[in-house]
Amino acid sequence: MNTIKDFYSRQRQKFFSYLVRRSGNYDQACDILQESFTRLIEKYPPEHFTPQLLFTIGRNLMRDALRRNRGSAPLSIEKEHATGDPNHELMVREEYRRVLAAMKHLEEDERDLISLVVSSDMSYREVADVTGISEANVKVKIHRARKKLRNLMGTGR
């Protein structure tokens, strides 16, 4: 039981960040987080628990949810980033909204890759394993998606 608890403790925040970035919806991210860990625990023995497996399960669940909702996910992130400083929280919330709004203009695979790389702490090799594309292709797509995102946000370099 400790293995499951330890794995959950180590992965929960990174995984949740990925889900929020990917969906733009706090409540949907909560639901998929819960369902992903449930499926992981029900279908795999603890010795097979890896971040790649968890993110693969969550990624598939997210795809299904996005397909069902087809772009109807509102930006609702108010429950995240509680620091106690109202001014800071407002600035973080506004910047997060800007990023999520800009991400909606990326292609679905670009949003997915950016969200995985930023949230998961996985290497490009591990992201390639999760997504089923080559490591070189991951690097190229990430570079292009970041450049596109910077341009969308008006901070192109």
Side-chain angles (χ1 to χ4, degrees):
M1 184 55 108
N2 257 355
T3 304
I4 294 168
K5 192 175 183 179
D6 292 342
F7 182 77
Y8 178 82
S9 295
R10 284 191 317 274
Q11 298 303 319
R12 186 190 64 77
Q13 190 57 45
K14 290 183 271 190
F15 185 54
F16 184 70
S17 293
Y18 162 72
L19 295 172
V20 169
R21 281 183 178 91
R22 189 68 182 91
S23 69
N25 183 299
Y26 179 91
D27 293 324
Q28 184 178 38
C30 287
D31 291 344
I32 292 175
L33 176 115
Q34 182 178 357
E35 180 64 24
S36 298
F37 275 103
T38 300
R39 287 189 184 188
L40 180 72
I41 291 165
E42 287 177 348
K43 297 185 185 234
Y44 299 94
E47 59 270 11
H48 288 108
F49 290 4
T50 63
Q52 294 88 342
L53 179 57
L54 176 65
F55 277 82
T56 299
I57 292 168
R59 190 169 173 260
N60 290 335
L61 288 169
M62 181 61 67
R63 273 195 193 146
D64 292 344
L66 291 173
R67 228 178 264 128
R68 277 191 308 273
N69 297 338
R70 234 351 143 210
S72 66
L75 294 177
S76 61
I77 58 168
E78 283 74 20
K79 297 172 187 167
E80 195 173 353
H81 299 298
T83 63
D85 177 5
N87 291 329
H88 178 73
E89 286 181 30
L90 180 63
M91 287 178 10
V92 167
R93 204 175 303 133
E94 288 306 313
E95 184 63 18
Y96 207 60
R97 278 192 180 106
R98 283 186 62 231
V99 171
L100 289 176
M103 284 183 68
K104 286 188 176 262
H105 295 285
L106 298 176
E107 298 295 321
E108 186 173 332
D109 67 324
E110 293 171 326
R111 277 193 311 269
D112 188 42
L113 285 171
I114 287 277
S115 298
L116 275 170
V117 168
V118 169
S119 303
S120 70
D121 287 338
M122 285 191 266
S123 67
Y124 286 139
R125 164 87 335 252
E126 292 167 324
V127 170
D129 291 342
V130 169
T131 59
I133 60 177
S134 72
E135 182 177 359
N137 202 2
V138 167
K139 289 177 182 179
V140 168
K141 287 182 178 224
I142 288 294
H143 172 74
R144 289 178 181 162
R146 283 181 171 154
K147 187 175 177 181
K148 194 174 180 181
L149 191 58
R150 276 193 297 270
N151 288 335
L152 286 166
M153 293 186 65
T155 60
R157 294 178 220 167

